[in-house]
Amino acid sequence: MKYAHVERERRYLSKGVNSELRPARVLRIRDSYVSHSTLRLRRIDEDGKTPVFKLGQKKRIGQDSPLRIAHTTMYISRAEFDLLTALPAQILEKQRHIFDLGNWQFAVDIFEGDLAGLSLVEVDLGPYGEVHPPLPLPDLVEVTLDERFTGGKLASTSPAELQSVLSEFGVM
C-alpha cells in the first residue's frame, strides 16, 4: 500500500436531496470502468474550472469487505485520458452534490442514463472509520455492504436490474 490510501465510507440509498439544502459544490462525473480490470478512468467537470482527469484503482483490504478499500489515484493529462478511453469499458455518469455538515462532508450522487432515478449518499469516514453525525436526509437505507451498489457493479447494471434491486429496498 505504498501509493494507496485507505478509503472508509458508508453508502445509503436516498430519495434525493432536500430542496432546502444547498450544495457546496456540484460535479459532473463520467466514470469508465475498464473491462476485465480493477481500473477506473474518471473525468470530473465543475462549472468555471478546468476538467480533471484521473486513472484510479480500488482494491478491497481484508476479507473482501467493502468497508476498507485501498484506493490509488493518478492524475493524468487530457491526451492520456483520450488515449485510455479507447479501452473497452462500462460507463457510469452522475452528478455529485457535495454538502458540508460541520466538520464533515457528504455527497449525494444523482445518476444519469440507464441509472436515472438512482440517488446514493456517500460519507467518507476518514482514516480511522469514525462514526458520522446524523445526515439531514430522510428515509436513508444503508447499502454499504451490498456489492450491487459499488461503482463497478452499477456501471454494468441494466435499468430492469436496477428497478428489481430498488424494489427490494422499497425505493423506486
Side-chain angles (χ1 to χ4, degrees):
M1 293 229 329
K2 184 174 181 179
Y3 301 105
H5 77 274
V6 176
E7 180 180 271
R8 292 176 175 86
E9 64 184 19
R10 291 285 218 234
R11 283 186 307 279
Y12 303 89
L13 277 174
S14 168
K15 292 186 178 176
V17 179
N18 180 333
S19 62
E20 295 175 13
L21 293 175
R22 298 286 175 244
R25 298 172 67 195
V26 177
L27 311 174
R28 288 174 310 286
I29 298 173
R30 179 183 172 93
D31 287 333
S32 300
Y33 289 88
V34 178
S35 300
H36 311 295
S37 80
T38 57
L39 300 176
R40 179 186 71 197
L41 193 58
R42 175 171 274 187
R43 177 187 173 131
I44 304 170
D45 291 290
E46 186 174 6
D47 287 343
K49 297 190 177 182
T50 303
V52 175
F53 304 98
K54 299 179 182 183
L55 176 63
Q57 179 185 48
K58 290 186 175 187
K59 295 187 100 174
R60 292 196 173 156
I61 301 170
Q63 293 80 18
D64 206 34
S65 168
L67 293 176
R68 291 181 353 143
I69 305 290
H71 186 187
T72 307
T73 299
M74 291 176 26
Y75 290 85
I76 59 177
S77 70
R78 172 67 186 256
E80 291 167 325
F81 178 85
D82 289 344
L83 178 70
L84 293 171
T85 58
L87 295 170
Q90 293 76 46
I91 307 299
L92 188 114
E93 293 181 307
K94 59 189 176 184
Q95 281 192 23
R96 174 165 285 170
H97 298 249
I98 301 171
F99 298 89
D100 291 323
L101 184 63
N103 294 331
W104 289 81
Q105 282 190 332
F106 67 95
V108 178
D109 289 340
I110 300 171
F111 291 81
E112 299 170 350
D114 285 348
L115 301 179
L118 175 62
S119 179
L120 280 179
V121 176
E122 290 187 358
V123 183
D124 184 346
L125 302 179
Y128 305 108
E130 302 169 40
V131 176
H132 64 80
L135 299 175
L137 300 169
D139 304 322
L140 295 177
V141 177
E142 185 163 10
V143 293
T144 302
L145 298 177
D146 193 322
E147 182 74 22
R148 297 173 296 182
F149 293 99
T150 61
K153 295 291 184 195
L154 286 171
S156 60
T157 299
S158 73
E161 290 169 325
L162 177 63
Q163 289 306 314
S164 175
V165 169
L166 292 179
S167 69
E168 291 178 33
F169 293 94
V171 177
M172 305 269 285

